[in-house]
């Protein structure tokens, strides 16, 4: 865990006024960092950051400010395993939430996110507010509250944020936003005392306690740490985080996320049911979560378990045991450069999610099955050559596919004929998580 110690953010503290910041961006001083974070999209990102700095100045005046970023994440392996203290494989991606932020001495956090009303949080009152459930204000308040509870200094700041993480995409825009707020507080006030993993835990606390969503810890950890990471949540207070050393650009495959047009609105009940049902099975063994249950004992007692658990709960437990065991196999295949075995494991995981976890569509609306249709179309195009599976929490939103370089053009045109132009996103893996964006970031990695 030393890799993600507080030292991750001890870059030289330099600030400049917003006009100087815009000049720095447009001069190309950040070009190396933008290429590091965004690969071939560096030029567009320079315009994006410069525009955000101009908008910050319009909202809050010409003053000192700094740049921050936190990535969305892609779940590669371990679907709905984290909330059972299982294992996952995830990665930070090149789609992110960025902020231009400057400290204030008012004890107030003001965040204007593009397209939304401004959120204003008075730090003198950080109690949970029911009226903020499912609102960004709850995430900001929760992150600040947890920093204070952990004995770290907090204070006011103003920020303008903009996101290219697809909302409801399974790329976890909410986790990226939470990590962004935590990264800003950590830099401005906490003296970089919070590690990347601790910021993830703070973000999860805000989402669970303040926002009202019973999420696991994978999303926040992948966003905060960045790169390919495998996480073992057997001890959730001290998750084991390991960087997976792999150059995926040499795999011969492209990572594609397909937006099938659905969204995650009104699906909280579906998401909550999966961990609750898995825990109902664990309870029959006197345990809190399935990671504490022996798979062999579970299968030996399925007949008896049907008397006290629903069939769907048992199927979801079966999915957990298989997908949890599959994660280290996926990691080993990546590390060995055995991408053919890796893609077979991805397909197995996808089948398990569809058949046993049953998170590809909601029972509330079985007529709408964009994910199912996307998987069927992908299987037809990629059969024998690529891999396809539901992405993220499921029920709506996106699928994830690994597409051979030679098939990328055909796959993209074929899938976009179903879901529309621009629905297929070809992503790159981002090497770092939540960071202050500086000219030297590409050299230091922090």
């Amino acid at each position: 865990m030393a890799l993600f110690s507080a030292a991750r953010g001890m870059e030289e503290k330099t600030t400049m006024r917003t006009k100087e910041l815009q000049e720095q961006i447009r001069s190309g001083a950040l070009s190396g960092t933008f290429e590091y974070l965004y690969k071939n999209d560096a030029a567009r990102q320079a315009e994006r950051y410069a525009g955000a700095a101009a908008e910050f100045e319009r909202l809050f005046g010409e003053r000192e400010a700094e740049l921050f970023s936190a990535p969305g994440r892609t779940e590669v392996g371990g679907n709905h395993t984290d909330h059972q203290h299982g294992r996952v494989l995830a990665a930070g991606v090149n789609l992110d939430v960025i902020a231009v932020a400057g400290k204030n001495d008012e004890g107030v956090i003001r965040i204007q996110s593009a397209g939304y009303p401004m959120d204003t949080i008075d730090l003198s009152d950080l109690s949970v507010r029911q009226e903020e459930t499912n609102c960004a204000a709850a995430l900001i308040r929760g992150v600040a509250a947890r920093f204070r509870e952990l004995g770290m200094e907090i204070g006011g700041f103003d920020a303008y944020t903009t996101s290219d993480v697809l909302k409801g995409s399974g790329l976890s825009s909410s986790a990226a936003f939470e990590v962004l707020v935590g990264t800003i507080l950590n830099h401005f006030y906490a003296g970089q005392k919070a590690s990347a993993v601790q910021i993830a835990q703070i973000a999860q606390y805000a989402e669970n306690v303040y926002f009202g969503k019973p999420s696991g810890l994978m999303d926040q950890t992948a966003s905060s740490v960045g790169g390919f990471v495998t996480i073992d949540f057997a001890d959730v207070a001290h998750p084991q985080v390991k960087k997976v050393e792999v150059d995926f650009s040499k795999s011969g495959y492209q990572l594609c996320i397909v937006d099938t047009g659905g969204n995650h609105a009104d699906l909280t009940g579906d998401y909550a049911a999966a961990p609750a049902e898995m825990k109902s099975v664990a309870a029959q063994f006197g345990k809190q979560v399935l990671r504490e249950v022996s798979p062999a004992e579970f299968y030996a007692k399925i007949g008896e378990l049907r008397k006290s658990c629903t069939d769907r709960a048992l199927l979801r437990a079966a999915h957990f045991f298989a997908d949890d065991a599959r994660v280290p196999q996926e990691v080993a295949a990546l590390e060995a450069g055995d991408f053919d075995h890796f893609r077979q494991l991805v397909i197995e995981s996808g089948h398990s999610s569809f058949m046993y976890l049953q998170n590809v569509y909601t029972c509330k609306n079985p007529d709408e099955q964009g994910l199912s249709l996307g998987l069927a179309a992908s299987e037809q195009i990629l059969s024998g050559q690529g891999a396809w599976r539901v992405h993220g929490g499921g029920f709506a939103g996106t699928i994830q596919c690994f597409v051979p370089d030679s098939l990328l053009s055909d796959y993209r045109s074929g899938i976009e004929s179903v879901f529309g132009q621009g629905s297929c996103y070809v992503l790159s893996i981002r090497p770092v998580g939540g960071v202050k964006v500086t000219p030297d970031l590409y050299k230091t990695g922090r």
Side-chain angles (χ1 to χ4, degrees):
M1 197 64 67
L3 179 63
F4 307 115
S5 69
R8 66 185 284 273
M10 293 302 290
E11 70 272 5
E12 182 182 356
K13 293 185 177 180
T14 58
T15 60
M16 58 183 65
R17 299 186 73 82
T18 49
K19 289 193 185 302
E20 296 172 317
L21 195 58
Q22 292 173 67
E23 291 173 5
Q24 181 190 59
I25 295 167
R26 296 191 187 283
S27 72
L30 287 160
S31 59
T33 288
F34 289 152
E35 290 172 6
Y36 177 65
L37 294 177
Y38 305 108
K39 304 297 183 185
N40 297 329
D41 197 31
R44 185 183 73 85
Q45 292 297 333
E47 290 301 314
R48 179 181 176 221
Y49 276 80
E55 190 63 16
F56 175 90
E57 182 179 303
R58 185 187 71 81
L59 289 165
F60 303 111
E62 206 276 318
R63 51 186 276 203
E64 288 190 343
E66 301 180 57
L67 305 176
F68 297 88
S69 165
R73 68 96 182 102
T74 183
E75 173 202 279
V76 181
N79 195 209
H80 278 271
T81 54
D82 58 332
H83 50 66
Q84 298 303 299
H85 299 191
R87 291 167 285 199
V88 300
L89 173 64
V93 298
N94 56 311
L95 301 179
D96 63 349
V97 185
I98 67 171
V100 181
K103 294 172 70 172
N104 67 51
D105 58 4
E106 303 169 48
V108 172
I109 295 176
R110 285 182 287 261
I111 298 182
Q112 174 67 67
S113 296
Y116 295 90
M118 184 179 294
D119 290 304
T120 302
I121 306 299
D122 187 336
L123 299 179
S124 66
D125 179 9
L126 294 179
S127 58
V128 177
R129 296 189 177 185
Q130 294 303 315
E131 68 272 17
E132 290 180 350
T133 300
N134 295 320
C135 296
L139 299 176
I140 303 165
R141 194 182 302 276
V143 169
R146 191 60 175 160
F147 263 88
R148 178 176 284 171
E149 289 171 6
L150 293 172
M152 287 182 278
E153 185 179 349
I154 62 172
F157 66 85
D158 300 311
Y160 174 78
T161 79
T162 181
S163 173
D164 61 9
V165 183
L166 300 171
K167 187 174 177 60
S169 65
L171 295 172
S172 201
S173 57
S174 60
F177 180 77
E178 298 154 14
V179 168
L180 184 71
V181 174
T183 300
I184 294 170
L185 282 172
N186 198 34
H187 173 76
F188 279 161
Y189 293 104
Q192 303 294 344
K193 293 178 181 177
S195 68
V197 172
Q198 192 171 23
I199 289 175
Q201 293 169 323
I202 290 168
Q204 183 204 22
Y205 173 88
E207 189 158 311
N208 291 175
V209 178
Y210 281 71
F211 189 77
K213 182 179 178 181
S215 69
L217 187 57
M218 177 186 69
D219 297 351
Q220 293 84 357
T221 304
S223 177
S224 191
V225 173
F228 268 110
V229 292
T230 184
I231 312 162
D232 188 333
F233 292 109
D235 180 355
V236 291
H238 303 92
Q240 297 300 304
V241 180
K242 175 189 173 185
K243 284 269 192 179
V244 181
E245 299 300 332
V246 57
D247 185 352
F248 196 75
S249 65
K250 297 179 180 178
S251 68
Y253 292 87
Q254 297 289 334
L255 169 61
C256 295
I257 297 295
V258 179
D259 182 1
T260 67
N263 61 64
H264 291 101
D266 301 321
L267 292 175
T268 299
D270 292 279
Y271 295 129
E277 290 179 11
M278 290 185 188
K279 288 178 180 179
S280 75
V281 177
Q284 300 305 307
F285 296 89
K287 306 296 184 182
Q288 295 293 317
V289 292
L290 287 174
R291 185 65 183 277
E292 302 170 342
V293 177
S294 161
E297 189 176 2
F298 163 76
Y299 282 108
K301 294 185 176 181
I302 283 183
E304 181 181 340
L305 290 169
R306 291 191 74 193
K307 299 174 184 176
S308 51
C309 300
T310 66
D311 287 347
R312 190 173 71 170
L314 297 176
L315 289 167
R316 285 177 161 170
H319 164 79
F320 167 80
F321 290 123
D323 228 34
D324 180 62
R326 197 174 285 117
V327 167
Q329 298 176 51
E330 291 175 324
V331 171
L334 282 176
E335 292 178 331
D338 189 350
F339 295 106
D340 187 60
H341 185 213
F342 170 74
R343 73 174 185 84
Q344 291 296 334
L345 292 167
V346 171
I347 292 172
E348 289 177 15
S349 177
H351 286 166
S352 181
S353 292
F354 207 148
M355 291 186 295
Y356 305 133
L357 180 59
Q358 299 178 26
N359 68 331
V360 174
Y361 64 92
T362 174
C363 294
K364 298 173 186 174
N365 187 14
D367 290 340
E368 183 179 330
Q369 294 197 39
L371 294 181
S372 306
L373 188 60
L375 292 169
S378 298
E379 182 173 13
Q380 191 278 325
I381 300 170
L382 300 175
S383 185
Q385 299 184 71
W388 52 94
R389 53 158 281 186
V390 64
H391 181 245
F395 301 108
T398 59
I399 62 171
Q400 177 189 79
C401 295
F402 292 90
V403 181
D405 293 340
S406 60
L407 279 181
L408 181 61
S409 179
D410 288 344
Y411 177 76
R412 196 168 193 175
S413 61
I415 206 73
E416 289 189 347
S417 72
V418 180
F419 297 108
Q421 187 173 0
S423 58
C424 180
Y425 296 81
V426 182
L427 303 184
S428 61
I429 304 302
R430 170 168 153 154
V432 291
V435 289
K436 176 188 171 186
V437 178
T438 68
D440 291 333
L441 177 63
Y442 74 101
K443 299 176 183 177
T444 63
R446 62 175 190 264

